[in-house]
Every structure is written in structure tokens, then in C-alpha cells.
Amino acid sequence: SSGINAEYGDPRDVLRSRFKFKHYYFKDRFPVTHSTNLESKIGLAAEEWCMRELDNIVYGERTGPQWLRDNYRLVTFSDLVDDPTAVAKELYQFLGLEDVEDVLSWAGAADKIDLLQGTEEYPVGRWNASHEKIVEEECKPLIIKMGLQFRQLDIQYSESYY
């Protein structure tokens, strides 16, 4: 058996990270300076990024070729961070492979390396709840599809929404 896995991060965290840190795409396409409207740049970037990610998920689950739909598994980054060993075991099972002890021990390692250390471009605290709310407004369908809860918008939905 084989499978295709897609891993997605919470759009609020992804966009915050891409604006906060020196990410080539967002820095060049939506440069943030003191003389620009940060809110509109966040809105444009969120709309573009979230629609692309939602299109990818829907393609893998529903509209792509049958071989893809039969072999597609969505993994959220938060699940991977919360329990990497469980996710690794689940993915090995999904792919029809035996667990590899080296991978499981690597996934379960508690040591974390701060890969972003020293790369901050903007002052701490520049991203705030109003920016997160903009992302939630632009990314409603993706947030719901991923089964995430809204933190800034008062929106509740049933699991069967998408």
C-alpha cells in the first residue's frame, strides 16, 4: 500500500511566522515597512495563501484523480508537534510500512532546536489579536476544514461543515 501525506500548519501561525521572520515570499511580495498598511498586506497574503492551501486539500481529498483521493492523508502541523511519535506511527501504518525504530526515537526526542533564533525582522509584539482576526476573516473555510477553533472571531461550526 502507498499513500500521499499533506502537512498543514494553522494559517494564523503560518502567516504570523512568515511576516515576523524573514520569509522570502512574504518579504518580497508584501514588504512590511512603517509607511505601509500592515493590515491590508496581512489580508492580501492571508487570502492568497489560505485559498491556495484549501485548493490543495480539496484537490487531494475530492477533485484529484482517484488514485490520489484513495491515498491522501491530511496531517496538521499542530498534531505533529503535539505528538510526533503517534503521528509517525499513524503515517507508517497509513503507508503500509513497518515502524522504523530510529524514526520513532527521533520523533519522540524532547530536544528542540530553535531554528529561528536571530532571524526576527520585526519587533516582538508587532503581530497582535487584530492581525490574527484579519487572518481568521480571510481563512474561514481553511480553518474550518482543518478542524481548528476560531480564537478572535465568534464562530462555531459542526464537524460535518466541510
Side-chain angles (χ1 to χ4, degrees), residues 140-155:
K140 284 180 211 170
L142 180 61
I143 290 170
I144 292 169
K145 178 66 181 156
M146 293 177 71
L148 303 171
Q149 298 301 312
F150 289 90
R151 298 190 290 232
Q152 302 301 324
L153 299 177
D154 186 23
I155 296 176

Side-chain angles (χ1 to χ4, degrees), residues 13 67 102:
D13 297 334
W67 66 264
D102 288 346

Side-chain angles (χ1 to χ4, degrees), residues 17-135:
S17 176
R18 290 181 180 200
F19 270 97
K20 183 176 180 183
F21 298 99
K22 297 176 182 175
H23 185 274
Y24 70 96
Y25 177 80
F26 285 96
K27 185 175 183 235
D28 293 342
R29 295 260 336 256
F30 307 102
V32 179
T33 66
H34 293 291
S35 63
T36 61
N37 183 338
L38 177 61
E39 288 74 16
S40 80
K41 288 180 185 273
I42 290 170
L44 289 170
E47 177 183 20
E48 181 179 303
W49 187 84
C50 289
M51 292 314 297
R52 185 179 64 243
E53 296 301 297
L54 184 60
D55 286 347
N56 288 339
I57 292 172
V58 170
Y59 183 79
E61 290 182 346
R62 295 189 206 159
T63 61
Q66 190 63 47
W67 66 264
L68 177 60
R69 293 191 313 257
D70 291 342
N71 294 291
Y72 186 85
R73 171 74 171 94
L74 176 66
V75 177
T76 63
F77 183 72
S78 59
D79 289 343
L80 186 60
V81 169
D82 290 345
D83 196 347
T85 302
V87 170
K89 285 181 179 182
E90 184 180 330
L91 292 178
Y92 268 86
Q93 183 179 7
F94 176 76
L95 295 169
L97 302 171
E98 292 184 30
D99 294 343
V100 176
E101 193 56 43
D102 288 346
V103 172
L104 295 178
S105 65
W106 171 82
D111 295 332
K112 304 290 183 204
I113 300 171
D114 185 1
L115 299 175
L116 300 175
Q117 184 177 11
T119 62
E120 290 190 24
E121 184 172 3
Y122 310 113
V124 174
R126 181 127 186 235
W127 187 272
N128 58 42
S130 69
H131 299 139
E132 186 172 84
K133 185 175 182 179
I134 293 167
V135 174

